[in-house]
Structure formats: structure tokens, C-alpha cells
Amino acid sequence: MPSLEGGCLTSLTVYDGGHGIGGNKIYLEEDGSGVFLDFGKNFSKYSAFYEEFLRSRDARGIHDLIYLNLLPRLNIYREDLLPADVNIHTYPSLGVAAVLVTHAHFDHCGNIGMLRSDIPMVASPESLVMMKGMQDTGHQSLEMEMVYVSPRGMSDDHGLCLGSQRNACYRGRDICCAGELSDELISYLSRRPGQESARAKRLEPGRCQSVDEAELPFDVSAHPVDHSVPGATAYILRGDTTVAYTGDFRLHGRNREMTLEFVRAARDASVLITEGTRIRENGGEGVVTEQTVAEACLDAVERSSGLVIADFSPRNFERLESFQEIARKTGRELVVTAKDAYLMHALQSIGSFSMDSSLRIYKEISSARGKWREEVVDKNYSSRYVDHLSIRENPEAYILCFSFLDMKNLLDIKPDGGTYIYSACEAFNEEMEIDFHRLWRWLQHFSMISVGFGIDGDGTLHFDGRYHASGHASGDEIRRIVETVDPEHIVPVHTQHLEWFEKNFDNVVSLEEGRPYEF
């Protein structure tokens, strides 16, 4: 490793995500000023301490996350999240000019809410829309405060507990848009649903500008890439050293050409920071494409009688479009949740998505009616609602876009048979395996056939890979891309198999978390 006293101007520090999948927090610095490449939640590290009913305490600000080393010990966090017994001012203070977000998956953006509010966020229009949409429709928590924050204040006499300030407005983070900064996008980012009511807290928007106008320590170019969520972006940062960062990407989706365009643009990069999620020790595995997944799912629906449920990853609109086409071909109607409809409406408002006129929205039995639902979904799409009775009376007419968390709605629909198509990733930890066993019992209760996963009589869980195309590049795809870019330094992140890179390439940099590497 080069000496830190060698006078090099560009340094790279991986604070998280270097030796596991997700939680990327990569700091690139030049002459004392730098940017974070993603600032995500590391689900693997969190799961060592937390689960569904044991979570970090928002009332203690960042105390719990710092104490458990789930956030790097740095002086870069919001002052209003510091209870009296947390002093981050003894930690290293970085000159963070911005955080560059590659896409709207929580393992890449889920810890941004803890960062100082004056640190701007760079992201594509689609990523900005989805992050704000998730925040608008989700439960208020620190992890959701990516686009706007709710200022905290001391709520006890000892300064140990924090609470939202009742009369303080929400404050928007400054935004640097890596794409077209339209009036519609600015309008969407500038208000929170329901803020016009007398008692509601208003949203004071941050500054919105294009990434070209931003004052950053690098010349930053953003490049759309193919992934399982719209708006995925890779970045090339040019300073004394040119660094390319892939984020999460692939070559086997419908937008593979975007990834190839990025690869061609990255050929002048000296440093390539690349994901390696799907790397195995030998690197050899077949590639299932979105097209072959669509064909397999169509066959499953054509063979189905009764209700069909399609379970695929949240915000995977490419898969949703596949099921929309399947619904047309099989004479069914596709039904999404109200939260999905809210996100689609927002993406449509900036010209990044077109809601099919035949799309239906499930009318859930619930006493909770959020302002986002009243102002957007109810107002614009009330005629598209379909309730449990309509589906119960004619189940063979519908495909429901439900996940495990939506199974409670089956208690109202009461299907007698049907098909559940699981079209998402395999279980990769014990908690997910437990959830699949729970899901299996739901399906058995309603006599539904499972396609895409199953559980044997001895309890063994297995998956059928034909029904899901990964959002990540395969080993062979990674090899092709690295060879095409031909960088001087390869920095693998978001992978569990660094040894594969070291076996296949001579110029691999293995970074110890928190230790700078200078080029």
C-alpha cells in the first residue's frame, strides 16, 4: 500500500461496504475536500443486533448506531441528533462537499438521514422521486429522512432523549440533480402531502440545482446504468486522478446499453470501484435475463386458475411492466398497492414512467388514510380502485402485485386456490428463511400453488431461478467490464468474494475499512 506521506492528492477510504454486500460508504477526497459515494444502511451489520421488533431508538438520535459501530465514528452528523452523552467532535471531521447516491435502495441511501443537513445530495431525478416517495408514504423515522428532515430537540431534562420540534418546519436537503431538473421535479421536492392544512408542518425546500452547477471538488459526470430500479447511476469523478464508481449495475436487463455507454466513458479511469454482489469463488454462473423471466412468468400465469399473486422487489418497475404485459396477454387486470401508485404518479410527473390505463389499485381495508393517499391516489385514481369483494367474486380476472407483507389482505379476499409467483431474490440470511416459512403457511392456508420457491416435507427451502433476473452483474459480466475499462487500480466493494478479484486480476486494491488509500 502506498505511503500516506507520499504527497499524493487523491485518497479513497471505504468506511463500510468493502467486505460485504450493501451499506456502501466510500469517501473520495482531494486536497482536503471530498464526496461520499453512497451512504447506505448495512443490513448485515444491523441484523447482528436488531430485528423487526428490536430497532435502534430514534429518541436517542445517533447514540445507538455510533455505540454499536453501525455508523462510522466521524464528525459529519446532524447536531440535532446528538444527545448529551454523545460527543462526535473528537472524531475525524471530513470535508464532505456532497453525497453521490447511485440509486434508491436502502443499502445505498438508508443512512443519509443522519448526515449533516448542509451536505447536498447528488442523485438522478428518478432516485430523488423514489426516495422522497418512500419518505412521504412511510413511517417517520431517522432512516427515512433522506430528502427532508424533521429537526429534533431535547425532550427531557437531562438531554438524553430527542423529539421532533412541534413548531419547526421540515427542512429539505440541498439537491444536485444528476439529470434534467424540471419544474415538476422541483415542485415535487418542495412540498410534503398535507402541508396546506392549518396544523401541518410545512416543508422548507433546500436548494435545487443541476450537478453541473454544483461546487464539487471533482468534475462529476453521471451515467445511467441498468439495474433493478429506475434511475440507477454510475459516476465518473475527474480530478488529479480519474475514478469510476459503478454502484449496482448489470448487463442483462432491457437497458444494458446504458451500462455499456458508462463502460465506454470510463476507459480513461485510473481507478475502478466496482460491485461484485453475484461473484462466486469460481465466478461461473448462468445469467437469467428480464426477457426469459417474463417468458417464464407468462407461462406460469397461463397455467394458473383462480387468483394470481406476483411478488417481486419493491420499485422494480421493469418487472412490473413485464407483468403488465402478461396481464394483457392473459386477459387479467394488474393490481398494485396504493404506495406503488403514489410512486408511479410521481415518476410519471417527471416523464420517467407511464402508468398503463388498465392498471388497477387495491383498496385496502384500513382506518389509516395518509395525506399522500388522499391528495394523490384518491384524487387522481379513485376510479381505478378494486376492493376485496370484487377480487373474491372474480379471482381469475386479476394479478395482484403483493409481497409477504401484504398477505394480511388475503384474509379479506379469502381466495380458494390460485398461484403465487415469487419473482425476487433468494433468501440470503436466517431471518429471510424464517419469513419464507411464514409465507409458505399463508399459501397453504389459502390452498395456493407456489411458483418460484417451495419448501420440501423436511422443511428444506428451495428456489427456482427462472423467475428472477438479478439486478447485479454476473462474474462473467464483471470480468468483461473490468477488462474493457482496464484501470490501473481495481477496488472491489459490495462483495463477499474479494479472492475472486485477486485471482483474476493483478491490480486489485483490498481496502481495510476506515484506512485511507492514496493514489
Side-chain angles (χ1 to χ4, degrees):
M1 178 175 291
S3 169
L4 299 183
E5 300 176 355
C8 297
L9 296 177
T10 305
S11 70
L12 181 70
T13 309
V14 175
Y15 286 99
D16 202 352
H19 299 281
I21 295 174
N24 287 18
K25 298 180 183 73
I26 304 164
Y27 186 63
L28 183 67
E29 183 182 64
E30 196 165 275
D31 290 337
S33 182
V35 296
F36 265 102
L37 306 174
D38 286 326
F39 207 79
K41 176 180 179 178
N42 191 319
F43 286 95
S44 295
K45 289 183 178 180
Y46 271 67
S47 66
F49 299 97
Y50 295 121
E51 53 95 33
E52 182 180 2
F53 298 106
L54 177 62
R55 301 182 180 182
S56 60
R57 301 168 295 174
D58 279 5
R60 295 285 278 133
I62 65 169
H63 171 276
D64 297 2
L65 303 181
I66 288 287
Y67 191 76
L68 294 174
N69 293 313
L70 299 178
L71 283 178
R73 298 193 174 192
L74 298 168
N75 184 8
I76 58 174
Y77 304 114
R78 290 164 48 186
E79 289 285 337
D80 65 318
L81 300 185
L82 306 181
D85 56 344
V86 172
N87 180 14
I88 65 173
H89 301 104
T90 60
Y91 300 151
S93 182
L94 304 180
V96 186
V99 53
L100 278 58
V101 179
T102 56
H103 61 285
H105 281 156
F106 278 108
D107 63 331
H108 289 257
C109 64
N111 282 156
I112 288 175
M114 286 70 169
L115 289 173
R116 286 199 327 263
S117 301
D118 64 324
I119 296 176
M121 178 167 59
V122 179
S124 69
E126 296 84 358
S127 293
L128 291 169
V129 161
M130 285 187 288
M131 283 188 285
K132 182 174 181 292
M134 290 186 288
Q135 188 170 353
D136 287 346
T137 61
H139 296 292
Q140 289 192 25
S141 69
L142 292 180
E143 291 179 356
M144 298 301 295
E145 295 187 0
M146 298 168 286
V147 178
Y148 57 91
V149 305
S150 177
R152 265 65 171 182
M154 302 301 176
S155 62
D156 72 334
D157 294 337
H158 304 288
L160 299 177
C161 290
L162 309 174
S164 294
Q165 297 179 20
R166 182 171 299 178
N167 298 320
C169 294
Y170 293 101
R171 296 174 185 167
R173 189 177 292 275
D174 288 347
I175 298 297
C176 302
C177 183
E180 182 184 356
L181 184 59
S182 64
D183 291 341
E184 291 78 10
L185 177 60
I186 293 174
S187 175
Y188 174 73
L189 295 175
S190 298
R191 68 175 303 277
R192 190 173 183 271
Q195 71 176 32
E196 281 77 20
S197 62
R199 290 186 169 183
K201 294 166 60 174
R202 297 183 60 82
L203 169 58
E204 293 181 348
R207 181 184 181 189
C208 290
Q209 60 183 331
S210 71
V211 69
D212 295 331
E213 299 172 307
E215 296 183 5
L216 300 175
F218 302 93
D219 177 14
V220 176
S221 61
H223 301 265
V225 291
D226 186 26
H227 187 41
S228 58
V229 63
T233 304
Y235 293 98
I236 299 176
L237 302 93
R238 295 180 172 88
D240 284 353
T241 301
T242 299
V243 178
Y245 175 47
T246 67
D248 288 354
F249 72 122
R250 63 181 180 180
L251 283 171
H252 51 271
R254 295 174 185 167
N255 298 310
R256 69 185 302 270
E257 188 56 38
M258 296 194 308
T259 300
L260 293 175
E261 284 290 338
F262 158 69
V263 172
R264 287 189 281 268
R267 284 178 173 173
D268 66 337
S270 299
V271 181
L272 176 64
I273 308 171
T274 177
E275 70 131 313
T277 308
R278 291 179 60 205
I279 294 294
R280 304 292 183 265
E281 288 192 41
N282 57 14
E285 60 175 273
V287 175
V288 179
T289 68
E290 286 293 338
Q291 180 59 39
T292 61
V293 167
E295 293 168 357
C297 291
L298 172 61
D299 179 67
V301 175
E302 289 178 334
R303 291 185 286 106
S304 301
S305 59
L307 181 65
V308 172
I309 296 176
D311 181 352
F312 48 90
S313 303
R315 303 175 294 286
N316 188 341
F317 290 106
E318 190 169 347
R319 192 71 49 81
L320 184 143
E321 290 174 341
S322 293
F323 274 102
Q324 184 72 70
E325 181 63 23
I326 291 170
R328 276 194 290 267
K329 290 180 177 179
T330 57
R332 294 173 179 258
E333 291 184 308
L334 194 69
V335 183
V336 299
T337 66
K339 286 187 177 182
D340 290 335
Y342 182 82
L343 285 179
M344 291 178 202
H345 176 85
L347 287 170
Q348 182 169 260
S349 71
I350 65 168
S352 294
F353 187 78
S354 179
M355 289 184 68
D356 193 284
S357 59
S358 65
L359 195 70
R360 305 297 295 274
I361 302 169
Y362 183 68
K363 189 173 185 179
E364 185 175 346
I365 298 176
S366 173
S367 59
R369 305 292 295 179
K371 290 297 182 181
W372 60 269
R373 186 177 311 191
E374 294 176 6
E375 291 187 2
V376 175
V377 186
D378 291 354
K379 179 179 178 181
N380 295 282
Y381 306 105
S382 60
S383 63
R384 298 194 185 202
Y385 276 122
V386 58
D387 62 14
H388 63 287
L389 293 175
S390 299
I391 297 172
R392 185 194 304 171
E393 292 170 0
N394 196 15
E396 65 277 1
Y398 301 101
I399 300 176
L400 303 184
C401 296
F402 278 5
S403 70
F404 169 59
L405 297 180
D406 299 306
M407 287 297 96
K408 58 186 181 294
N409 295 315
L410 295 187
L411 297 171
D412 303 317
I413 299 170
K414 298 180 173 61
D416 183 13
T419 303
Y420 191 97
I421 302 174
Y422 182 72
S423 184
C425 67
E426 299 182 6
F428 51 79
N429 59 38
E430 185 177 355
E431 287 184 30
M432 289 185 68
E433 292 181 2
I434 292 172
D435 282 344
F436 275 103
H437 280 83
R438 292 191 182 107
L439 173 58
W440 186 253
R441 285 189 283 273
W442 279 94
L443 301 182
Q444 287 183 315
H445 184 83
F446 292 104
S447 302
M448 298 193 76
I449 297 170
S450 173
V451 173
F453 91 99
I455 295 178
D456 296 334
D458 62 357
T460 302
L461 176 65
H462 57 84
F463 295 88
D464 188 335
R466 295 175 297 169
Y467 297 92
H468 176 58
S470 172
H472 302 275
S474 68
D476 290 337
E477 290 172 338
I478 293 283
R479 188 196 311 273
R480 286 173 51 197
I481 287 168
V482 172
E483 290 174 349
T484 301
V485 175
D486 192 25
E488 296 176 19
H489 308 276
I490 304 166
V491 182
V493 296
H494 209 282
T495 184
Q496 293 177 323
H497 288 288
L498 177 65
E499 73 281 352
W500 180 88
F501 286 91
E502 294 175 332
K503 178 181 178 181
N504 285 274
F505 305 103
D506 296 329
N507 51 342
V508 174
V509 178
S510 176
L511 296 183
E512 179 183 343
E513 283 190 1
R515 183 176 181 184
Y517 185 98
E518 294 200 350
F519 298 98

